[in-house]
Amino acid sequence: MASGDFLRQMQGYGLTTANIFYRMPDHPGIIQSYIWQDYDLHPHFPELRKFLDFWTRSLDGPLHGVTVAHAQLIKPAEMRLVNGEFSVH
C-alpha cells in the first residue's frame, strides 16, 4: 500500500514551504517569522490559504507578509544517453 503523501504527489501536489512574517501582538514594532510546510497544489495553494485564513481568524499576531516556495517532487524521468559502459570489479 502506498503512503498518503505519495498518493497526494501523484495527484499533482508538491511540497510547499511558506515563510510567514507577522507582528508581535504586544510589540507591533517587532516582526517574527513562522515556517509552514505541507503538500499543496500550485498555483492556487488551497492548503496554505486555509491555514492563512485560520491564522487571520484565530491568532492575535497580524500578518505582515508571506514568501512561498514550491517544488513538484515527482517529475517526468530524465533520460541521458551514455556513450560507453564500464565494468568495475
PDB file of all heavy atoms in Angstrom, residues 6 9-10 13-15 70-78:
ATOM      1  N   PHE A   6       2.628   9.961  -0.906  1.00  0.00           N
ATOM      2  CA  PHE A   6       2.928   9.561  -2.282  1.00  0.00           C
ATOM      3  C   PHE A   6       1.687   9.698  -3.160  1.00  0.00           C
ATOM      4  O   PHE A   6       1.765  10.198  -4.291  1.00  0.00           O
ATOM      5  CB  PHE A   6       3.447   8.122  -2.314  1.00  0.00           C
ATOM      6  CG  PHE A   6       3.727   7.627  -3.702  1.00  0.00           C
ATOM      7  CD1 PHE A   6       4.840   8.068  -4.406  1.00  0.00           C
ATOM      8  CD2 PHE A   6       2.866   6.739  -4.328  1.00  0.00           C
ATOM      9  CE1 PHE A   6       5.096   7.631  -5.688  1.00  0.00           C
ATOM     10  CE2 PHE A   6       3.108   6.292  -5.610  1.00  0.00           C
ATOM     11  CZ  PHE A   6       4.230   6.741  -6.289  1.00  0.00           C
ATOM     12  N   GLN A   9       1.145  13.248  -4.077  1.00  0.00           N
ATOM     13  CA  GLN A   9       2.085  13.697  -5.100  1.00  0.00           C
ATOM     14  C   GLN A   9       1.637  13.209  -6.474  1.00  0.00           C
ATOM     15  O   GLN A   9       1.793  13.927  -7.467  1.00  0.00           O
ATOM     16  CB  GLN A   9       3.488  13.195  -4.785  1.00  0.00           C
ATOM     17  CG  GLN A   9       4.100  13.877  -3.585  1.00  0.00           C
ATOM     18  CD  GLN A   9       5.459  13.315  -3.262  1.00  0.00           C
ATOM     19  OE1 GLN A   9       6.273  13.109  -4.160  1.00  0.00           O
ATOM     20  NE2 GLN A   9       5.710  13.057  -1.986  1.00  0.00           N
ATOM     21  N   MET A  10       1.080  12.026  -6.541  1.00  0.00           N
ATOM     22  CA  MET A  10       0.582  11.508  -7.815  1.00  0.00           C
ATOM     23  C   MET A  10      -0.625  12.318  -8.312  1.00  0.00           C
ATOM     24  O   MET A  10      -0.901  12.349  -9.500  1.00  0.00           O
ATOM     25  CB  MET A  10       0.201  10.028  -7.678  1.00  0.00           C
ATOM     26  CG  MET A  10       1.386   9.114  -7.421  1.00  0.00           C
ATOM     27  SD  MET A  10       2.649   9.203  -8.702  1.00  0.00           S
ATOM     28  CE  MET A  10       1.795   8.502 -10.078  1.00  0.00           C
ATOM     29  N   TYR A  13       0.117  17.230  -6.151  1.00  0.00           N
ATOM     30  CA  TYR A  13       0.571  18.026  -5.016  1.00  0.00           C
ATOM     31  C   TYR A  13       2.096  18.072  -4.989  1.00  0.00           C
ATOM     32  O   TYR A  13       2.756  17.118  -5.377  1.00  0.00           O
ATOM     33  CB  TYR A  13       0.074  17.423  -3.695  1.00  0.00           C
ATOM     34  CG  TYR A  13      -1.366  17.707  -3.391  1.00  0.00           C
ATOM     35  CD1 TYR A  13      -2.386  17.031  -4.046  1.00  0.00           C
ATOM     36  CD2 TYR A  13      -1.726  18.646  -2.436  1.00  0.00           C
ATOM     37  CE1 TYR A  13      -3.716  17.282  -3.769  1.00  0.00           C
ATOM     38  CE2 TYR A  13      -3.053  18.905  -2.144  1.00  0.00           C
ATOM     39  CZ  TYR A  13      -4.041  18.216  -2.817  1.00  0.00           C
ATOM     40  OH  TYR A  13      -5.347  18.476  -2.537  1.00  0.00           O
ATOM     41  N   GLY A  14       2.633  19.172  -4.536  1.00  0.00           N
ATOM     42  CA  GLY A  14       4.068  19.321  -4.370  1.00  0.00           C
ATOM     43  C   GLY A  14       4.363  19.890  -2.996  1.00  0.00           C
ATOM     44  O   GLY A  14       3.475  20.417  -2.313  1.00  0.00           O
ATOM     45  N   LEU A  15       5.605  19.809  -2.586  1.00  0.00           N
ATOM     46  CA  LEU A  15       5.995  20.316  -1.271  1.00  0.00           C
ATOM     47  C   LEU A  15       6.041  21.841  -1.310  1.00  0.00           C
ATOM     48  O   LEU A  15       6.743  22.438  -2.127  1.00  0.00           O
ATOM     49  CB  LEU A  15       7.355  19.751  -0.873  1.00  0.00           C
ATOM     50  CG  LEU A  15       7.798  20.055   0.552  1.00  0.00           C
ATOM     51  CD1 LEU A  15       6.819  19.447   1.553  1.00  0.00           C
ATOM     52  CD2 LEU A  15       9.192  19.525   0.789  1.00  0.00           C
ATOM     53  N   HIS A  70       7.798  26.417  -3.772  1.00  0.00           N
ATOM     54  CA  HIS A  70       7.058  25.196  -4.122  1.00  0.00           C
ATOM     55  C   HIS A  70       7.934  24.321  -5.003  1.00  0.00           C
ATOM     56  O   HIS A  70       8.611  24.807  -5.901  1.00  0.00           O
ATOM     57  CB  HIS A  70       5.775  25.567  -4.861  1.00  0.00           C
ATOM     58  CG  HIS A  70       4.969  24.396  -5.309  1.00  0.00           C
ATOM     59  ND1 HIS A  70       4.150  23.700  -4.448  1.00  0.00           N
ATOM     60  CD2 HIS A  70       4.871  23.782  -6.501  1.00  0.00           C
ATOM     61  CE1 HIS A  70       3.575  22.720  -5.118  1.00  0.00           C
ATOM     62  NE2 HIS A  70       4.001  22.757  -6.362  1.00  0.00           N
ATOM     63  N   ALA A  71       7.917  23.013  -4.746  1.00  0.00           N
ATOM     64  CA  ALA A  71       8.684  22.064  -5.554  1.00  0.00           C
ATOM     65  C   ALA A  71       7.813  20.864  -5.889  1.00  0.00           C
ATOM     66  O   ALA A  71       7.241  20.239  -4.997  1.00  0.00           O
ATOM     67  CB  ALA A  71       9.924  21.595  -4.809  1.00  0.00           C
ATOM     68  N   GLN A  72       7.684  20.592  -7.168  1.00  0.00           N
ATOM     69  CA  GLN A  72       6.976  19.406  -7.631  1.00  0.00           C
ATOM     70  C   GLN A  72       7.949  18.236  -7.457  1.00  0.00           C
ATOM     71  O   GLN A  72       8.954  18.151  -8.134  1.00  0.00           O
ATOM     72  CB  GLN A  72       6.590  19.585  -9.106  1.00  0.00           C
ATOM     73  CG  GLN A  72       5.474  18.721  -9.561  1.00  0.00           C
ATOM     74  CD  GLN A  72       4.142  19.095  -8.941  1.00  0.00           C
ATOM     75  OE1 GLN A  72       3.921  20.209  -8.488  1.00  0.00           O
ATOM     76  NE2 GLN A  72       3.252  18.145  -8.901  1.00  0.00           N
ATOM     77  N   LEU A  73       7.683  17.332  -6.520  1.00  0.00           N
ATOM     78  CA  LEU A  73       8.654  16.295  -6.179  1.00  0.00           C
ATOM     79  C   LEU A  73       8.691  15.158  -7.188  1.00  0.00           C
ATOM     80  O   LEU A  73       9.736  14.587  -7.447  1.00  0.00           O
ATOM     81  CB  LEU A  73       8.380  15.757  -4.779  1.00  0.00           C
ATOM     82  CG  LEU A  73       8.510  16.801  -3.676  1.00  0.00           C
ATOM     83  CD1 LEU A  73       8.180  16.184  -2.328  1.00  0.00           C
ATOM     84  CD2 LEU A  73       9.895  17.381  -3.649  1.00  0.00           C
ATOM     85  N   ILE A  74       7.547  14.798  -7.724  1.00  0.00           N
ATOM     86  CA  ILE A  74       7.524  13.736  -8.728  1.00  0.00           C
ATOM     87  C   ILE A  74       7.479  14.403 -10.093  1.00  0.00           C
ATOM     88  O   ILE A  74       6.553  15.136 -10.408  1.00  0.00           O
ATOM     89  CB  ILE A  74       6.320  12.800  -8.534  1.00  0.00           C
ATOM     90  CG1 ILE A  74       6.470  12.071  -7.211  1.00  0.00           C
ATOM     91  CG2 ILE A  74       6.204  11.829  -9.689  1.00  0.00           C
ATOM     92  CD1 ILE A  74       5.376  11.103  -6.906  1.00  0.00           C
ATOM     93  N   LYS A  75       8.508  14.141 -10.892  1.00  0.00           N
ATOM     94  CA  LYS A  75       8.646  14.776 -12.198  1.00  0.00           C
ATOM     95  C   LYS A  75       8.855  13.697 -13.250  1.00  0.00           C
ATOM     96  O   LYS A  75       9.234  12.577 -12.923  1.00  0.00           O
ATOM     97  CB  LYS A  75       9.858  15.717 -12.187  1.00  0.00           C
ATOM     98  CG  LYS A  75       9.759  16.807 -11.160  1.00  0.00           C
ATOM     99  CD  LYS A  75      11.017  17.627 -11.126  1.00  0.00           C
ATOM    100  CE  LYS A  75      10.916  18.634  -9.996  1.00  0.00           C
ATOM    101  NZ  LYS A  75      12.129  19.310  -9.720  1.00  0.00           N
ATOM    102  N   PRO A  76       8.647  14.020 -14.495  1.00  0.00           N
ATOM    103  CA  PRO A  76       8.953  13.041 -15.539  1.00  0.00           C
ATOM    104  C   PRO A  76      10.420  12.624 -15.465  1.00  0.00           C
ATOM    105  O   PRO A  76      11.285  13.417 -15.109  1.00  0.00           O
ATOM    106  CB  PRO A  76       8.671  13.789 -16.838  1.00  0.00           C
ATOM    107  CG  PRO A  76       7.802  14.923 -16.456  1.00  0.00           C
ATOM    108  CD  PRO A  76       8.125  15.259 -15.028  1.00  0.00           C
ATOM    109  N   ALA A  77      10.674  11.381 -15.776  1.00  0.00           N
ATOM    110  CA  ALA A  77      12.042  10.857 -15.712  1.00  0.00           C
ATOM    111  C   ALA A  77      12.926  11.599 -16.710  1.00  0.00           C
ATOM    112  O   ALA A  77      12.518  11.934 -17.814  1.00  0.00           O
ATOM    113  CB  ALA A  77      12.048   9.370 -16.006  1.00  0.00           C
ATOM    114  N   GLU A  78      14.135  11.857 -16.291  1.00  0.00           N
ATOM    115  CA  GLU A  78      15.115  12.469 -17.181  1.00  0.00           C
ATOM    116  C   GLU A  78      15.953  11.355 -17.792  1.00  0.00           C
ATOM    117  O   GLU A  78      16.364  10.429 -17.114  1.00  0.00           O
ATOM    118  CB  GLU A  78      16.009  13.423 -16.401  1.00  0.00           C
ATOM    119  CG  GLU A  78      15.255  14.611 -15.856  1.00  0.00           C
ATOM    120  CD  GLU A  78      16.145  15.543 -15.055  1.00  0.00           C
ATOM    121  OE1 GLU A  78      17.368  15.307 -15.014  1.00  0.00           O
ATOM    122  OE2 GLU A  78      15.613  16.485 -14.483  1.00  0.00           O
TER     123      GLU A  78
END
